[in-house]
């Protein structure tokens, strides 16, 4: 858990670096809430930063949420950390995040939770939506 990992940050960073050396990619989930902090972006050897959906929900109406998200994306890019936005539910949110430079996205706009037997059917759809600007 975050409490355990961050109680001895040097040990946690050492272990995370060993995992990265093995080729494991590390993500920080729900960035912007709980234990996440901008200072951890300087310390932790993460490869992916997941922006919490609480910032995405009103991004089209809340200028402060937009400014926070864009600043975090810029900081992550400067550290060569990829970003993913959680909770995208409409095309406006998707467009705003694309313009801000977000690398990936997830949310109901792309698919809702489904039983395992439906997953292959979802991936086989001709019109599958994808948010990865580098692949378009």
């Amino acid at each position: 858990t975050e409490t355990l990992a961050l109680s001895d940050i040097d040990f946690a960073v050492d272990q995370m670096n060993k995992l990265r050396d093995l080729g494991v990619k590390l993500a920080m989930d729900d960035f912007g809430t709980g234990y996440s902090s901008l200072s951890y972006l300087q310390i932790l050897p993460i490869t992916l930063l997941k922006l919490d959906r609480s910032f995405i929900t009103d991004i089209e109406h809340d200028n402060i949420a937009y400014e926070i998200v864009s600043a975090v994306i810029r900081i992550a890019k400067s550290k060569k950390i990829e970003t993913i936005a959680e909770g995208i539910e409409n095309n406006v949110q998707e467009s705003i995040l694309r313009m801000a430079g977000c690398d990936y996205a997830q949310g109901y706009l792309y698919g809702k939770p489904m039983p395992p037997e439906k997953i292959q059917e979802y991936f086989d759809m001709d019109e599958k939506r994808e948010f990865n600007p580098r692949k378009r």
Side-chain angles (χ1 to χ4, degrees), residues 48 82-86 88 102-106 131-134:
L48 180 68
E82 293 183 303
T83 53
I84 182 168
E86 300 176 332
I88 296 179
C102 189
D103 296 300
Y104 303 99
Q106 69 183 58
F131 182 77
N132 183 343
R134 291 176 288 191

Side-chain angles (χ1 to χ4, degrees), residues 59-86:
I59 198 166
E60 69 256 51
H61 306 292
D62 184 344
N63 193 50
I64 299 301
Y66 170 76
E67 292 298 333
I68 290 169
V69 167
S70 344
V72 169
I73 290 170
R74 283 192 309 275
I75 292 166
K77 285 197 176 305
S78 75
K79 299 278 297 170
K80 301 199 180 353
I81 298 170
E82 293 183 303
T83 53
I84 182 168
E86 300 176 332

Side-chain angles (χ1 to χ4, degrees), residues 17-24:
N17 280 321
K18 287 177 182 176
L19 289 169
R20 288 220 29 201
D21 291 345
L22 293 172
V24 174

Side-chain angles (χ1 to χ4, degrees), residues 53-69 89-97 99:
R53 73 180 307 279
S54 63
F55 293 104
I56 309 308
T57 302
D58 262 350
I59 198 166
E60 69 256 51
H61 306 292
D62 184 344
N63 193 50
I64 299 301
Y66 170 76
E67 292 298 333
I68 290 169
V69 167
E89 296 182 1
N90 63 58
N91 292 317
V92 175
Q93 292 168 336
E94 178 188 61
S95 178
I96 290 169
L97 288 157
M99 289 187 301

